[in-house]
Amino acid sequence: MTSMLDRAVADLTNTAPSGSRAGYDRSRDLFTAVNQRVPGPEPVARMITTALAARRPKLRYTVGLDARFLIPLHTASPLRLSDRIKYAVTGLPRTAPKAPTAAVEAAA
């Protein structure tokens, strides 16, 4: 089975616009690096077991060190700021590239 990050890397590779690949390449490299450190489903299964067995479950559970680092970003900063930080890290454009029109596709 292909992992979620493998699919994301493939999607970034296949959908990047021809003129502005830098952000897509940086995101692909970031996802590839993260994917190499992902331990698999076992820690998530253990956390689910812990949550189900808890007498007083927490509102949120985190799995992995990277998730623990992202919690303050999401809780202590406005959504626009956390999005800007993510755009800066990945280099992706803030707006999606426009899809080619039928006339452009017909000319190609």
Side-chain angles (χ1 to χ4, degrees), residues 3-75:
S3 74
M4 177 184 73
L5 289 172
D6 286 337
R7 287 191 306 261
V9 168
D11 287 346
L12 283 168
T13 301
N14 296 331
T15 61
S18 59
S20 59
R21 291 197 54 89
Y24 288 82
D25 291 342
R26 283 176 53 190
S27 293
R28 184 197 62 229
D29 294 345
L30 177 67
F31 287 165
T32 300
V34 167
N35 200 21
Q36 292 171 350
R37 294 190 321 264
V38 173
E42 293 84 7
V44 175
R46 283 193 299 272
M47 189 59 69
I48 291 170
T49 302
T50 300
L52 291 173
R55 290 186 64 188
R56 298 185 73 180
K58 300 177 187 180
L59 291 175
R60 290 181 181 84
Y61 290 85
T62 57
V63 178
L65 189 58
D66 53 342
R68 288 187 184 100
F69 285 128
L70 289 175
I71 295 289
L73 174 66
H74 290 287
T75 58

Side-chain angles (χ1 to χ4, degrees), residues 90-102:
T90 62
L92 288 173
R94 290 192 181 139
T95 57
K98 293 182 180 181
T101 62

